[in-house]
Amino acid sequence: PVDMLIHCGDVEGQEEEIKRLAACETHIVAGNNDYFSALPREEEFEIGHYRVFLTHGHNYGVSVGTERIVEEAASRGVDAVIFGHTHKPLNERIGEIRVLNPGSLSYPRQEGRDPSYMLMEFDRAGNMFCGISYMQNRIFIR
């Protein structure tokens, strides 16, 4: 069980099924493959005392670099930006912004092509810790 599920887009009409299976607070944005979707393209929300900007990322050119999305996140005054689109995991700090991409369980594109996701945990003081998990040699049954 998790307290919150964040999906970076390309759910291709499965958002209600994802919400039902998660059975917790969910934040899902539309990706470039979510044609005719009513999902928001971007969302800002709080996780603990952190302000987060969530977007799929394709509108910020993330396939060629994170400069534009980090600039947008900074202009919004958020602590972290979470995006997808590249299907490559990323967990780094650029200036004051935590830049996060969980990668992809279905279509990973990083070297080795190991399916990945991200877990965020918080200590008692509310400090965020993020880790990318790889699904090597594991099977998911849905």
Side-chain angles (χ1 to χ4, degrees):
V2 295
D3 298 314
M4 181 186 296
L5 179 113
I6 300 169
H7 197 296
C8 301
D10 287 348
V11 295
E12 299 177 3
Q14 299 298 310
E15 56 268 22
E16 293 308 318
E17 178 73 359
I18 291 168
K19 289 177 184 180
R20 186 185 68 74
L21 289 170
C24 63
E25 180 180 347
T26 59
H27 295 272
I28 304 173
V29 292
N32 61 302
N33 290 310
D34 293 319
Y35 308 106
F36 311 111
S37 174
L39 289 168
R41 299 248 177 252
E42 301 176 343
E43 190 177 343
E44 287 184 41
F45 55 96
E46 304 282 334
I47 304 175
H49 59 266
Y50 295 90
R51 186 99 184 126
V52 174
F53 168 43
L54 173 65
T55 184
H56 185 64
H58 62 293
N59 291 325
Y60 296 95
V62 296
S63 293
V64 295
T66 57
E67 295 80 12
R68 285 181 49 208
I69 201 166
V70 169
E71 184 179 295
E72 179 66 21
S75 75
R76 292 171 180 247
V78 299
D79 303 296
V81 59
I82 304 172
F83 68 97
H85 190 61
T86 65
H87 296 228
K88 296 177 181 179
L90 178 67
N91 180 358
E92 65 183 26
R93 178 170 293 283
I94 299 175
E96 296 298 313
I97 308 292
R98 177 74 69 111
V99 184
L100 305 169
N101 185 325
S104 174
L105 286 169
S106 304
Y107 303 107
R109 294 183 183 150
Q110 78 278 15
E111 186 176 330
R113 306 253 182 192
D114 292 324
S116 64
Y117 62 95
M118 183 171 286
L119 291 175
M120 301 172 86
E121 295 184 345
F122 297 84
D123 66 15
R124 292 178 196 256
N127 299 309
M128 177 175 38
F129 299 91
C130 301
I132 296 168
S133 296
Y134 295 94
M135 301 307 301
Q136 300 169 354
N137 303 315
R138 295 192 181 136
I139 298 172
F140 280 96
I141 298 173
R142 184 171 165 200

mmCIF file of all heavy atoms in Angstrom, residues 66 80-81 83 88-94 97-103 117-120 128-134:
data_model
loop_
_atom_site.group_PDB
_atom_site.id
_atom_site.type_symbol
_atom_site.label_atom_id
_atom_site.label_comp_id
_atom_site.label_asym_id
_atom_site.label_seq_id
_atom_site.Cartn_x
_atom_site.Cartn_y
_atom_site.Cartn_z
ATOM 1 N N THR A 66 16.975 18.853 -19.821
ATOM 2 C CA THR A 66 16.060 19.273 -18.758
ATOM 3 C C THR A 66 16.048 20.783 -18.528
ATOM 4 O O THR A 66 15.347 21.264 -17.639
ATOM 5 C CB THR A 66 16.418 18.567 -17.432
ATOM 6 O OG1 THR A 66 17.781 18.867 -17.101
ATOM 7 C CG2 THR A 66 16.214 17.065 -17.532
ATOM 8 N N ALA A 80 10.165 20.648 -6.535
ATOM 9 C CA ALA A 80 10.481 19.480 -7.366
ATOM 10 C C ALA A 80 9.628 19.478 -8.621
ATOM 11 O O ALA A 80 8.496 19.957 -8.613
ATOM 12 C CB ALA A 80 10.241 18.190 -6.586
ATOM 13 N N VAL A 81 10.187 18.917 -9.690
ATOM 14 C CA VAL A 81 9.433 18.669 -10.906
ATOM 15 C C VAL A 81 9.502 17.167 -11.183
ATOM 16 O O VAL A 81 10.564 16.551 -11.072
ATOM 17 C CB VAL A 81 9.953 19.493 -12.116
ATOM 18 C CG1 VAL A 81 11.416 19.213 -12.430
ATOM 19 C CG2 VAL A 81 9.096 19.245 -13.342
ATOM 20 N N PHE A 83 8.429 14.320 -14.088
ATOM 21 C CA PHE A 83 8.019 14.195 -15.489
ATOM 22 C C PHE A 83 8.327 12.800 -16.000
ATOM 23 O O PHE A 83 9.014 12.014 -15.356
ATOM 24 C CB PHE A 83 8.703 15.261 -16.356
ATOM 25 C CG PHE A 83 10.188 15.072 -16.512
ATOM 26 C CD1 PHE A 83 10.700 14.431 -17.631
ATOM 27 C CD2 PHE A 83 11.067 15.529 -15.549
ATOM 28 C CE1 PHE A 83 12.070 14.247 -17.782
ATOM 29 C CE2 PHE A 83 12.436 15.354 -15.686
ATOM 30 C CZ PHE A 83 12.943 14.707 -16.804
ATOM 31 N N LYS A 88 13.292 7.289 -19.167
ATOM 32 C CA LYS A 88 14.603 7.084 -18.567
ATOM 33 C C LYS A 88 14.592 7.639 -17.141
ATOM 34 O O LYS A 88 14.278 8.814 -16.934
ATOM 35 C CB LYS A 88 15.685 7.806 -19.369
ATOM 36 C CG LYS A 88 15.852 7.264 -20.771
ATOM 37 C CD LYS A 88 16.883 8.081 -21.536
ATOM 38 C CE LYS A 88 17.035 7.567 -22.946
ATOM 39 N NZ LYS A 88 18.014 8.371 -23.695
ATOM 40 N N PRO A 89 14.940 6.826 -16.147
ATOM 41 C CA PRO A 89 14.919 7.319 -14.770
ATOM 42 C C PRO A 89 15.942 8.431 -14.532
ATOM 43 O O PRO A 89 17.032 8.433 -15.101
ATOM 44 C CB PRO A 89 15.255 6.078 -13.940
ATOM 45 C CG PRO A 89 15.803 5.081 -14.878
ATOM 46 C CD PRO A 89 15.384 5.454 -16.260
ATOM 47 N N LEU A 90 15.538 9.368 -13.676
ATOM 48 C CA LEU A 90 16.394 10.501 -13.343
ATOM 49 C C LEU A 90 16.046 10.960 -11.935
ATOM 50 O O LEU A 90 14.876 11.089 -11.582
ATOM 51 C CB LEU A 90 16.158 11.647 -14.344
ATOM 52 C CG LEU A 90 16.934 12.941 -14.128
ATOM 53 C CD1 LEU A 90 18.424 12.717 -14.352
ATOM 54 C CD2 LEU A 90 16.416 14.026 -15.058
ATOM 55 N N ASN A 91 17.051 11.207 -11.132
ATOM 56 C CA ASN A 91 16.875 11.716 -9.775
ATOM 57 C C ASN A 91 18.081 12.597 -9.489
ATOM 58 O O ASN A 91 19.148 12.098 -9.139
ATOM 59 C CB ASN A 91 16.783 10.560 -8.776
ATOM 60 C CG ASN A 91 16.602 11.029 -7.347
ATOM 61 O OD1 ASN A 91 16.574 12.219 -7.060
ATOM 62 N ND2 ASN A 91 16.500 10.083 -6.432
ATOM 63 N N GLU A 92 17.923 13.898 -9.703
ATOM 64 C CA GLU A 92 19.036 14.802 -9.453
ATOM 65 C C GLU A 92 18.534 16.157 -8.985
ATOM 66 O O GLU A 92 17.359 16.476 -9.124
ATOM 67 C CB GLU A 92 19.916 14.954 -10.695
ATOM 68 C CG GLU A 92 19.253 15.609 -11.890
ATOM 69 C CD GLU A 92 20.161 15.663 -13.112
ATOM 70 O OE1 GLU A 92 21.071 14.817 -13.228
ATOM 71 O OE2 GLU A 92 19.953 16.546 -13.947
ATOM 72 N N ARG A 93 19.436 16.910 -8.412
ATOM 73 C CA ARG A 93 19.125 18.274 -7.993
ATOM 74 C C ARG A 93 19.838 19.215 -8.950
ATOM 75 O O ARG A 93 21.036 19.086 -9.178
ATOM 76 C CB ARG A 93 19.589 18.522 -6.561
ATOM 77 C CG ARG A 93 19.328 19.940 -6.090
ATOM 78 C CD ARG A 93 19.568 20.104 -4.621
ATOM 79 N NE ARG A 93 18.632 19.377 -3.803
ATOM 80 C CZ ARG A 93 17.381 19.734 -3.545
ATOM 81 N NH1 ARG A 93 16.899 20.826 -4.093
ATOM 82 N NH2 ARG A 93 16.617 19.013 -2.761
ATOM 83 N N ILE A 94 19.065 20.147 -9.516
ATOM 84 C CA ILE A 94 19.627 21.178 -10.376
ATOM 85 C C ILE A 94 19.288 22.505 -9.721
ATOM 86 O O ILE A 94 18.120 22.897 -9.674
ATOM 87 C CB ILE A 94 19.070 21.089 -11.811
ATOM 88 C CG1 ILE A 94 19.420 19.731 -12.435
ATOM 89 C CG2 ILE A 94 19.607 22.248 -12.656
ATOM 90 C CD1 ILE A 94 18.829 19.490 -13.805
ATOM 91 N N ILE A 97 16.064 22.895 -7.461
ATOM 92 C CA ILE A 97 14.962 22.051 -7.926
ATOM 93 C C ILE A 97 15.369 20.585 -7.934
ATOM 94 O O ILE A 97 16.399 20.222 -8.513
ATOM 95 C CB ILE A 97 14.520 22.452 -9.359
ATOM 96 C CG1 ILE A 97 14.241 23.955 -9.467
ATOM 97 C CG2 ILE A 97 13.334 21.599 -9.823
ATOM 98 C CD1 ILE A 97 13.045 24.435 -8.702
ATOM 99 N N ARG A 98 14.572 19.740 -7.312
ATOM 100 C CA ARG A 98 14.744 18.285 -7.434
ATOM 101 C C ARG A 98 14.067 17.878 -8.732
ATOM 102 O O ARG A 98 12.900 18.186 -8.953
ATOM 103 C CB ARG A 98 14.106 17.579 -6.239
ATOM 104 C CG ARG A 98 14.169 16.067 -6.299
ATOM 105 C CD ARG A 98 15.552 15.511 -6.021
ATOM 106 N NE ARG A 98 15.926 15.706 -4.653
ATOM 107 C CZ ARG A 98 16.048 14.724 -3.757
ATOM 108 N NH1 ARG A 98 15.847 13.490 -4.103
ATOM 109 N NH2 ARG A 98 16.373 15.001 -2.533
ATOM 110 N N VAL A 99 14.786 17.194 -9.619
ATOM 111 C CA VAL A 99 14.301 16.807 -10.942
ATOM 112 C C VAL A 99 14.147 15.290 -10.951
ATOM 113 O O VAL A 99 15.125 14.560 -10.790
ATOM 114 C CB VAL A 99 15.278 17.277 -12.046
ATOM 115 C CG1 VAL A 99 14.727 16.958 -13.421
ATOM 116 C CG2 VAL A 99 15.558 18.773 -11.906
ATOM 117 N N LEU A 100 12.887 14.840 -11.140
ATOM 118 C CA LEU A 100 12.583 13.421 -10.975
ATOM 119 C C LEU A 100 11.850 12.842 -12.182
ATOM 120 O O LEU A 100 10.892 13.436 -12.679
ATOM 121 C CB LEU A 100 11.695 13.229 -9.738
ATOM 122 C CG LEU A 100 12.246 13.789 -8.431
ATOM 123 C CD1 LEU A 100 11.168 13.782 -7.360
ATOM 124 C CD2 LEU A 100 13.458 12.999 -7.990
ATOM 125 N N ASN A 101 12.306 11.688 -12.629
ATOM 126 C CA ASN A 101 11.627 10.921 -13.658
ATOM 127 C C ASN A 101 11.712 9.462 -13.225
ATOM 128 O O ASN A 101 12.808 8.932 -13.049
ATOM 129 C CB ASN A 101 12.305 11.114 -15.021
ATOM 130 C CG ASN A 101 11.565 10.432 -16.151
ATOM 131 O OD1 ASN A 101 10.981 9.369 -15.982
ATOM 132 N ND2 ASN A 101 11.620 11.032 -17.319
ATOM 133 N N PRO A 102 10.560 8.802 -13.033
ATOM 134 C CA PRO A 102 10.597 7.413 -12.558
ATOM 135 C C PRO A 102 11.039 6.411 -13.614
ATOM 136 O O PRO A 102 11.258 5.240 -13.292
ATOM 137 C CB PRO A 102 9.144 7.159 -12.151
ATOM 138 C CG PRO A 102 8.356 8.090 -13.010
ATOM 139 C CD PRO A 102 9.206 9.323 -13.168
ATOM 140 N N GLY A 103 11.181 6.821 -14.862
ATOM 141 C CA GLY A 103 11.477 5.870 -15.928
ATOM 142 C C GLY A 103 10.191 5.224 -16.402
ATOM 143 O O GLY A 103 9.147 5.860 -16.438
ATOM 144 N N TYR A 117 10.654 2.320 -11.537
ATOM 145 C CA TYR A 117 9.667 3.199 -10.919
ATOM 146 C C TYR A 117 10.379 3.923 -9.794
ATOM 147 O O TYR A 117 11.538 3.625 -9.480
ATOM 148 C CB TYR A 117 8.451 2.414 -10.407
ATOM 149 C CG TYR A 117 8.765 1.405 -9.335
ATOM 150 C CD1 TYR A 117 8.626 1.727 -7.989
ATOM 151 C CD2 TYR A 117 9.214 0.127 -9.664
ATOM 152 C CE1 TYR A 117 8.920 0.807 -6.999
ATOM 153 C CE2 TYR A 117 9.503 -0.805 -8.679
ATOM 154 C CZ TYR A 117 9.361 -0.455 -7.357
ATOM 155 O OH TYR A 117 9.657 -1.365 -6.375
ATOM 156 N N MET A 118 9.708 4.888 -9.183
ATOM 157 C CA MET A 118 10.335 5.665 -8.126
ATOM 158 C C MET A 118 9.508 5.581 -6.855
ATOM 159 O O MET A 118 8.284 5.635 -6.901
ATOM 160 C CB MET A 118 10.467 7.117 -8.562
ATOM 161 C CG MET A 118 11.172 8.001 -7.546
ATOM 162 S SD MET A 118 11.522 9.639 -8.207
ATOM 163 C CE MET A 118 12.871 9.245 -9.317
ATOM 164 N N LEU A 119 10.189 5.460 -5.737
ATOM 165 C CA LEU A 119 9.550 5.530 -4.430
ATOM 166 C C LEU A 119 10.009 6.795 -3.726
ATOM 167 O O LEU A 119 11.195 7.122 -3.751
ATOM 168 C CB LEU A 119 9.926 4.320 -3.571
ATOM 169 C CG LEU A 119 9.371 2.984 -4.012
ATOM 170 C CD1 LEU A 119 9.936 1.866 -3.140
ATOM 171 C CD2 LEU A 119 7.858 2.987 -3.944
ATOM 172 N N MET A 120 9.048 7.485 -3.125
ATOM 173 C CA MET A 120 9.359 8.670 -2.333
ATOM 174 C C MET A 120 8.956 8.355 -0.895
ATOM 175 O O MET A 120 7.847 7.894 -0.650
ATOM 176 C CB MET A 120 8.560 9.877 -2.823
ATOM 177 C CG MET A 120 8.820 10.225 -4.254
ATOM 178 S SD MET A 120 7.674 11.499 -4.852
ATOM 179 C CE MET A 120 8.554 12.949 -4.345
ATOM 180 N N MET A 128 12.172 14.664 2.287
ATOM 181 C CA MET A 128 11.884 13.731 1.200
ATOM 182 C C MET A 128 13.137 12.964 0.798
ATOM 183 O O MET A 128 14.211 13.532 0.666
ATOM 184 C CB MET A 128 11.346 14.491 -0.017
ATOM 185 C CG MET A 128 11.090 13.619 -1.212
ATOM 186 S SD MET A 128 10.301 14.443 -2.645
ATOM 187 C CE MET A 128 11.009 16.043 -2.717
ATOM 188 N N PHE A 129 12.951 11.656 0.575
ATOM 189 C CA PHE A 129 13.989 10.791 0.048
ATOM 190 C C PHE A 129 13.404 10.049 -1.145
ATOM 191 O O PHE A 129 12.330 9.470 -1.050
ATOM 192 C CB PHE A 129 14.460 9.792 1.117
ATOM 193 C CG PHE A 129 15.045 10.463 2.320
ATOM 194 C CD1 PHE A 129 14.247 10.800 3.397
ATOM 195 C CD2 PHE A 129 16.390 10.780 2.362
ATOM 196 C CE1 PHE A 129 14.776 11.434 4.501
ATOM 197 C CE2 PHE A 129 16.933 11.416 3.457
ATOM 198 C CZ PHE A 129 16.120 11.746 4.536
ATOM 199 N N CYS A 130 14.087 10.097 -2.279
ATOM 200 C CA CYS A 130 13.603 9.461 -3.502
ATOM 201 C C CYS A 130 14.598 8.410 -3.946
ATOM 202 O O CYS A 130 15.803 8.618 -3.882
ATOM 203 C CB CYS A 130 13.460 10.479 -4.623
ATOM 204 S SG CYS A 130 12.341 11.813 -4.239
ATOM 205 N N GLY A 131 14.065 7.302 -4.415
ATOM 206 C CA GLY A 131 14.924 6.250 -4.939
ATOM 207 C C GLY A 131 14.285 5.604 -6.149
ATOM 208 O O GLY A 131 13.077 5.402 -6.190
ATOM 209 N N ILE A 132 15.102 5.293 -7.127
ATOM 210 C CA ILE A 132 14.634 4.608 -8.318
ATOM 211 C C ILE A 132 14.796 3.113 -8.088
ATOM 212 O O ILE A 132 15.855 2.662 -7.662
ATOM 213 C CB ILE A 132 15.415 5.074 -9.561
ATOM 214 C CG1 ILE A 132 15.141 6.557 -9.797
ATOM 215 C CG2 ILE A 132 15.051 4.240 -10.782
ATOM 216 C CD1 ILE A 132 16.040 7.213 -10.803
ATOM 217 N N SER A 133 13.746 2.371 -8.346
ATOM 218 C CA SER A 133 13.777 0.922 -8.190
ATOM 219 C C SER A 133 13.695 0.273 -9.561
ATOM 220 O O SER A 133 12.922 0.691 -10.414
ATOM 221 C CB SER A 133 12.597 0.459 -7.324
ATOM 222 O OG SER A 133 12.727 0.973 -6.023
ATOM 223 N N TYR A 134 14.498 -0.763 -9.733
ATOM 224 C CA TYR A 134 14.516 -1.497 -11.003
ATOM 225 C C TYR A 134 13.899 -2.870 -10.796
ATOM 226 O O TYR A 134 14.084 -3.504 -9.770
ATOM 227 C CB TYR A 134 15.944 -1.630 -11.523
ATOM 228 C CG TYR A 134 16.537 -0.303 -11.883
ATOM 229 C CD1 TYR A 134 17.308 0.406 -10.965
ATOM 230 C CD2 TYR A 134 16.299 0.270 -13.114
ATOM 231 C CE1 TYR A 134 17.834 1.640 -11.288
ATOM 232 C CE2 TYR A 134 16.823 1.512 -13.445
ATOM 233 C CZ TYR A 134 17.591 2.185 -12.530
ATOM 234 O OH TYR A 134 18.107 3.413 -12.848
#
